[in-house]
Amino acid sequence: MKIYVAGIRGMVGSAIALMATDQGHEVLGKSSKDLDLCDRKAVFAEIAEAKPDVLIIAAAKVGGIKANSDQPVEFLSINLQIQGNLLDAAHAANIQKVLFLGSSCIYPKFAPQPLTEESLLTSPLEETNEAYAIAKIAGIKLVDAYNKQYGHHWLSAMPTNLYGPRDNFHPEKSHVLPALIQRFHLAKEQGIESVTIWGDGTPLREFLHVEDLARACLILAQEIKIETLVNIGSGREVSIKELAQLVSKVVGYSGEIRFDTTKPNGTPRKLLDSSKIMSKGWKPEIDLESGIQSSYEWYLANNDRRMT
């Protein structure tokens, strides 16, 4: 297949592109320096010229709790522009297969666990990432609207918390796992006796290595009519406290881990029901400790990119 990956230089897009190339597919895509996805005219021209068999939308403005709290306008506005431009351009170019990637944060804060696709919009969202979640929900609904109005068979996939090589390790802009890698590494290098983490350490999180996600996306790209919304998760949970201890072990940090209970925990639990994708023969292959080790090795080897 000819596959266009929007967000090809990001952690998710690059993993999909590398795996698709290894499988013999033709892969297209441009970096944000070469194509501004908020530029509607440029996006329409790009997709019309590329005319791929499949468009995978892995481009988004992303970040952790602090970034979402500090910049709700950007997380809502920029993501609405990116996904709206790409989906509208795909329709204009008559692209038959589109895979839109969202996030598990679309689901309600206190929805029954594990989270099924049917729990979308059944109760309020987690406040700390509401802007990003609303943008992604809008993308899902735009995909559904195109399917209903124009007979497309496009698909939205909701990954759980992702990590892996080419992640963003910025201490204020990153998600929890890469942020912990960066903080424990610097603490080890600088001989800092303790590391303090937001919240009380009790929230449970599910993590998926980006290469496992890439395999799932390529399965869906070849059989895209199966559903309109599909969860992609590992099915394994870990508390933030346990995660911090595991990252500390991998990094080799021997200091104290403290928790700042004056800071928000975020959603108490967020486990996906991934039975739909698993029914297609997919299952995660990379365990959490091995995945953290590969992420840390990439971090060490890429000093110029690890805090973008």
Side-chain angles (χ1 to χ4, degrees):
M1 297 184 294
K2 182 193 290 188
I3 301 174
Y4 191 101
V5 181
I8 196 168
R9 294 295 177 87
M11 177 181 67
V12 173
S14 59
I16 294 171
L18 287 169
M19 191 168 291
T21 300
D22 288 344
Q23 292 182 6
H25 302 296
E26 179 184 355
V27 178
L28 305 172
K30 288 183 177 178
S31 70
S32 57
K33 293 180 180 179
D34 297 321
L35 177 65
D36 179 3
L37 294 176
C38 291
D39 184 334
R40 188 170 178 84
K41 184 177 180 180
V43 171
F44 269 64
E46 175 73 8
I47 300 303
E49 181 179 354
K51 195 68 175 180
D53 299 311
V54 182
L55 169 63
I56 298 179
I57 302 177
K61 179 176 177 60
V62 299
I65 289 178
K66 187 177 189 306
N68 275 269
S69 298
D70 291 347
Q71 297 180 299
V73 170
E74 286 79 4
F75 275 87
L76 182 55
S77 178
I78 291 174
N79 283 307
L80 287 173
Q81 291 177 68
I82 289 172
Q83 62 206 31
N85 289 344
L86 285 164
L87 291 169
D88 292 347
H91 172 67
N94 196 29
I95 306 304
Q96 295 301 303
K97 293 184 178 182
V98 175
L99 177 60
F100 171 67
L101 296 180
S103 165
S104 58
C105 72
I106 64 165
Y107 293 116
K109 182 175 183 176
F110 295 112
Q113 306 280 331
L115 297 160
T116 66
E117 292 85 353
E118 290 71 28
S119 66
L120 182 65
L121 294 176
T122 55
S123 59
L125 299 165
E126 160 61 38
E127 298 86 351
T128 56
N129 56 17
E130 185 180 59
Y132 180 73
I134 288 173
K136 287 299 179 180
I137 291 170
I140 294 167
K141 290 302 181 182
L142 185 55
V143 167
D144 290 348
Y146 267 119
N147 288 344
K148 180 179 179 181
Q149 187 170 339
Y150 293 103
H152 293 313
H153 296 283
W154 295 354
L155 175 67
S156 297
M158 299 301 112
T160 191
N161 299 288
L162 300 170
Y163 72 101
R166 296 171 296 278
D167 208 338
N168 179 358
F169 292 87
H170 191 284
E172 295 182 355
K173 299 178 182 178
S174 61
H175 290 104
V176 60
L177 202 158
L180 289 175
I181 289 175
Q182 190 264 354
R183 293 187 65 200
F184 281 122
H185 174 77
L186 292 182
K188 181 181 75 169
E189 282 191 334
Q190 298 168 13
I192 298 172
E193 295 182 355
S194 66
V195 171
T196 301
I197 297 167
W198 278 25
D200 61 12
T202 61
L204 296 172
R205 291 292 180 268
E206 176 186 30
F207 292 93
L208 183 70
H209 195 277
V210 71
E211 291 175 10
D212 281 329
L213 172 68
R215 288 190 300 104
C217 288
L218 292 173
I219 290 171
L220 293 173
Q222 296 179 68
E223 192 179 352
I224 212 160
K225 296 182 181 180
I226 60 169
E227 300 287 348
T228 58
L229 180 60
V230 177
N231 290 336
I232 307 176
S234 66
R236 304 165 191 148
E237 290 181 291
V238 61
S239 73
I240 295 300
K241 181 179 180 179
E242 292 168 330
L243 178 68
Q245 292 170 339
L246 184 56
V247 172
S248 176
K249 173 187 172 183
V250 169
V251 170
Y253 175 70
S254 57
E256 182 184 2
I257 302 173
R258 298 177 178 176
F259 294 89
D260 183 353
T261 57
T262 67
K263 302 296 185 183
N265 274 330
T267 303
R269 188 184 183 207
K270 194 167 60 172
L271 176 66
L272 293 181
D273 178 340
S274 300
S275 55
K276 289 181 180 179
I277 182 65
M278 289 185 180
S279 72
K280 298 300 173 182
W282 174 89
K283 64 179 181 179
E285 297 179 352
I286 302 172
D287 68 87
L288 186 57
E289 184 169 351
S290 299
I292 293 173
Q293 184 66 49
S294 71
S295 298
Y296 184 48
E297 290 171 359
W298 186 91
Y299 170 87
L300 293 175
N302 292 271
N303 291 334
D304 59 331
R305 291 188 57 192
R306 66 189 190 192
M307 291 197 299
T308 55

